[in-house]
Structures are given as C-alpha cells and as structure tokens.
Amino acid sequence: GKEAKLAPARRYMFGWMSLSYLVEEGMRCLIRIEDVDSTLIALSDPAGFADPARQFNLEECKAERKKQVADLCEALDISQSQRPSDDHLVLRFANLHKGRLLLFRSILLLPAKETGLLVVVILHDAYRFAKHATEIDGKLREAVCDALNAMPLQRINHIFLSLAKQAKARGGASFVSAALICKCLQVILKKAHEVASRLASAPPNIPENNELAKTMGYWRQIYDFFFALLKGNLRSGFFTRCLREGDSKEAKKAEKKEEKKSDKRTPDTELVPARKRDLWELLAAMVSHGSSAQRDVLRPEMRDLLTVSKLSPLPVDELGVPMPPSRGYQYLCQVFETAPPPPPAHVRHDAGGMPPPPGAAIAGIGGGPVGLPPPGEGGINPAPAGAL
C-alpha cells in the first residue's frame, strides 16, 4: 500500500507570546515534574511491597507525571511532528541562555521517546547551538550526545543526514570542527561500529539483521559524503583554528577582517571550536570506518598533518597537569606509519620530564580510538577497497 504522508512540520505557533514567557512556562513544567519525581521517590517502598493506600498514591503520581510530561512537550512544541521547521520554537530558544538551560534540563527529565524528538529538533539547526560557550552549553552538548548514544541507528541516520546537509551549507570542514558537531559525529561513528560488530558476529539470514544491514548501508552513504567533505580540507578548514594558535595579534586581526569580507561572519556567530584532541578522535573514527582506497586518498594529507607540531595534542594541559594520551592521534600515527613530532620545549621542561624516546609515543597501542579495533581487524573496513 501507499505510505502514509507525514504531518507537515509545525511552525512557531505562539507568536503572540514572548520567548521569555514561553521559557518561563517550560521552567514551570520542569519544576512540577521534579516535584512529582520527589513524591515518587518518597512513595517507593524499598522493602518491595506497599500498602494499598500508598500504591494508589503511587499510581496517581505516575499519571500526574505523564500529564506534566505532555504539558512540557506542548510547551516545547515537540508533541506532534517529527519533522521540525526552520523556525521551530526550540530553535528560537537557542538565543536565550535560560532557553538553553530549559532544553538541557528537559533532556534529563523527559522519557526516551520525547528526548529523542527534542534532540532531533536541536540538531535540525545545530549551528544555532554551536555558537555558545557557557557552562550550560557544555552540559547541553553532553546531554545531547548521551541522548544520541541511546537512539537506534534508524533515528541516528536521520540526524546524520541532517548534519550532512548543514555541513554542506555551512562551510564544510569548518562546520564539522565545531565542538557540538564534532562530539555528535563521534557518537554517530561509535554507534555504527557497535552495529557493524553486532552484524559481523550474528548468524546469517535473520530478518531483523537484514533490515539492520540495510540501515547500515544507508548510514555508509552518508559517511561517504562526510569523508568527501573532509578530504583536502583538513588543513584549510578542519584544523584552521588550531593552526591559528600562537599567531600574532596583528595576523589574527587581519584574518578576522578577511573572514568578515568573505563569510560576513561576526564574532558572535563564530562557532565554538572543538578541542584539538577531539578533532583527532573524530578523524581517527572516520579513518577506522574507511576502506583501503579511502585511506590511500587521505594518506599524503594525514602524513603532513601528523608531523605538524602545532597540531600535536600535548601530554599536559595549560597548567602542566598530565593528560591521558590521545588514542585517536596515536592510532592515526600507526595507520599512516608516521612518527609524531617531539613535544615543544616548554612541555618537556615545564612538565618536569624528559622527552620520550623515538617511537615511544605510539608504542604498545593495541587498538584504535576508544571502542575501535586496530586497523584491519574486527570488521573495521566494512567496504572493500575501490568499492566507493
């Protein structure tokens, strides 16, 4: 039969109300949910049984929580269509610090299905949320990634495709290097590894796995788009802001002036960049999914970047505190057979240690980035060489 048509995306339907009022209304819903949760905890019987009166009150509280969740979904305008519009109410909340706080707390309190709907809307225009760098924005970023990790691959593909379209329209590799986008893509790539491993170890001809394999095939098409987007743009787009570190103030001012002429960007629209270590982790995850042919295409560019000392993740932070090794960076050094540059002099001396012996930075690494097997093992090359 014909597929049922999805309901049209809902548009901003509260035009007569101010955004601040709507945020406050959402906050009131959150407070009521938290009050109900406190009551539910108080009514829970740790002994495993309860008297009839307490059980009745418990059921009433559960029904009340369900009602309050419905009210919050209505306040966020996520209760109807799964296809958000470009002027969705949630996207307008991105301009308000308290609006982003509301979204963060909502992700923590909503059930899984509603959380998924909310994250789909947030990432429908991730650019709006990738511009902010407060403590709440860091927490929102982590909450979005946690929600992504709990989603099935089918829904993740919807978000993956949306991010691909946004990357194409928003500057390609420079958009991907934003902290929010980088973190989300890491989760998506990790999820695909989990699914690929499950399919590789599953018995053949199981209908459920056959459907999952089709979903994985669709995921790979989107992955190939991202791979093409990064190819040739790592130095000029992906790592641009990292390479700027240490530039003179005059050079930075001149570059900002040139950006305004070409992109018409202003300081308040500059995306919050991902940490250098996270960029390497994302690249490692991308490479781990690649075929031999794709890796060969990247080889000259990666070997060049891996020898740039300014791009090497330091073994200590700005205060001289030792950091865990960047497994993604070490993994790429292995894959592309490139020795990393020695750490800068201030790191060797200020950290109170001696420079590592040649090859020590990559010795003893048994696998790739977190959750990834070594290259060529565990089904890490799902597409054969030349298949793309």
Side-chain angles (χ1 to χ4, degrees), residues 66-141:
K66 190 173 181 180
K67 176 185 177 301
Q68 296 301 336
V69 164
D71 289 345
L72 178 59
C73 288
E74 185 174 352
L76 297 174
D77 198 17
I78 61 168
S79 56
Q80 295 293 324
S81 175
Q82 296 187 34
R83 295 188 304 163
S85 61
D86 293 337
D87 64 345
H88 194 283
L89 178 61
V90 165
L91 300 178
R92 290 173 177 256
F93 284 166
N95 296 324
L96 301 176
H97 180 268
K98 198 166 186 178
R100 302 193 301 277
L101 173 62
L102 167 64
L103 299 179
F104 162 65
R105 292 179 60 191
S106 296
I107 290 175
L108 299 183
L109 289 176
L110 284 172
K113 179 182 176 182
E114 287 75 10
T115 296
L117 290 173
L118 178 55
V119 169
V120 166
V121 179
I122 289 172
L123 295 180
H124 177 73
D125 191 353
Y127 182 86
R128 300 198 197 193
F129 295 92
K131 296 186 295 182
H132 307 285
T134 68
E135 182 182 356
I136 285 301
D137 296 298
K139 291 180 178 180
L140 177 60
R141 184 164 59 242

Side-chain angles (χ1 to χ4, degrees), residues 29-30 32-34 36-38 40 58-72 106 108-111:
C29 291
L30 283 175
R32 289 194 290 268
I33 292 174
E34 289 173 337
V36 173
D37 285 347
S38 298
L40 283 170
L58 193 62
E59 295 303 320
E60 272 195 334
C61 282
K62 289 179 180 178
E64 178 62 21
R65 193 187 199 281
K66 190 173 181 180
K67 176 185 177 301
Q68 296 301 336
V69 164
D71 289 345
L72 178 59
S106 296
L108 299 183
L109 289 176
L110 284 172

Side-chain angles (χ1 to χ4, degrees), residues 84-224:
S85 61
D86 293 337
D87 64 345
H88 194 283
L89 178 61
V90 165
L91 300 178
R92 290 173 177 256
F93 284 166
N95 296 324
L96 301 176
H97 180 268
K98 198 166 186 178
R100 302 193 301 277
L101 173 62
L102 167 64
L103 299 179
F104 162 65
R105 292 179 60 191
S106 296
I107 290 175
L108 299 183
L109 289 176
L110 284 172
K113 179 182 176 182
E114 287 75 10
T115 296
L117 290 173
L118 178 55
V119 169
V120 166
V121 179
I122 289 172
L123 295 180
H124 177 73
D125 191 353
Y127 182 86
R128 300 198 197 193
F129 295 92
K131 296 186 295 182
H132 307 285
T134 68
E135 182 182 356
I136 285 301
D137 296 298
K139 291 180 178 180
L140 177 60
R141 184 164 59 242
E142 294 300 322
V144 166
C145 289
D146 288 344
L148 263 180
N149 194 43
M151 291 182 188
L153 188 63
Q154 290 86 344
R155 175 167 284 184
I156 283 180
N157 275 351
H158 174 83
I159 294 173
F160 199 19
L161 179 60
S162 174
L163 291 175
K165 291 178 179 178
Q166 293 173 63
K168 184 177 180 181
R170 292 284 192 182
S174 59
F175 174 79
V176 174
S177 69
L180 174 61
I181 316 305
C182 177
K183 279 290 192 182
C184 288
L185 290 178
Q186 285 185 65
V187 173
I188 291 171
L189 292 165
K190 179 184 175 184
K191 194 76 174 183
H193 267 298
E194 294 172 358
V195 173
S197 298
R198 192 190 322 159
L199 288 173
S201 60
N205 301 323
I206 296 179
E208 181 182 348
N209 288 341
N210 292 339
E211 286 300 317
L212 195 56
K214 290 179 184 178
T215 304
M216 192 68 195
Y218 181 53
W219 178 93
R220 180 137 195 107
Q221 292 178 33
I222 308 171
Y223 161 84
D224 289 342

Side-chain angles (χ1 to χ4, degrees), residues 128-334:
R128 300 198 197 193
F129 295 92
K131 296 186 295 182
H132 307 285
T134 68
E135 182 182 356
I136 285 301
D137 296 298
K139 291 180 178 180
L140 177 60
R141 184 164 59 242
E142 294 300 322
V144 166
C145 289
D146 288 344
L148 263 180
N149 194 43
M151 291 182 188
L153 188 63
Q154 290 86 344
R155 175 167 284 184
I156 283 180
N157 275 351
H158 174 83
I159 294 173
F160 199 19
L161 179 60
S162 174
L163 291 175
K165 291 178 179 178
Q166 293 173 63
K168 184 177 180 181
R170 292 284 192 182
S174 59
F175 174 79
V176 174
S177 69
L180 174 61
I181 316 305
C182 177
K183 279 290 192 182
C184 288
L185 290 178
Q186 285 185 65
V187 173
I188 291 171
L189 292 165
K190 179 184 175 184
K191 194 76 174 183
H193 267 298
E194 294 172 358
V195 173
S197 298
R198 192 190 322 159
L199 288 173
S201 60
N205 301 323
I206 296 179
E208 181 182 348
N209 288 341
N210 292 339
E211 286 300 317
L212 195 56
K214 290 179 184 178
T215 304
M216 192 68 195
Y218 181 53
W219 178 93
R220 180 137 195 107
Q221 292 178 33
I222 308 171
Y223 161 84
D224 289 342
F225 169 83
F226 270 105
F227 181 90
L229 195 71
L230 294 178
K231 183 181 64 177
N233 295 307
L234 296 180
R235 181 184 281 271
S236 61
F238 194 68
F239 282 112
T240 299
R241 281 171 279 198
C242 294
L243 290 169
R244 273 192 222 146
E245 293 174 3
D247 289 349
S248 66
K249 290 183 179 180
E250 291 75 15
K252 287 183 178 180
K253 283 182 180 178
E255 193 167 359
K256 283 279 187 183
K257 192 173 182 180
E258 190 61 32
E259 279 182 354
K260 289 181 182 180
K261 286 181 182 177
S262 57
D263 287 340
K264 296 183 179 179
R265 286 193 292 181
T266 55
D268 65 320
T269 61
E270 180 79 11
L271 300 183
V272 177
R275 297 185 312 161
K276 193 185 303 180
R277 297 166 67 87
D278 287 329
L279 292 176
W280 283 117
E281 292 296 331
L282 175 57
L283 263 186
M286 290 288 294
V287 167
S288 72
H289 277 283
S291 65
S292 298
Q294 285 175 315
R295 291 182 186 182
D296 288 342
V297 169
L298 274 187
R299 192 173 300 276
E301 192 175 9
M302 288 301 305
R303 282 184 167 177
D304 171 50
L305 289 170
L306 287 167
T307 58
V308 177
S309 59
K310 193 180 283 190
L311 294 180
S312 174
L314 303 180
V316 296
D317 63 16
E318 293 83 353
L319 300 176
V321 179
M323 298 176 66
S326 172
R327 296 191 66 193
Y329 183 77
Q330 295 170 329
Y331 169 79
L332 290 169
C333 286
Q334 279 192 327

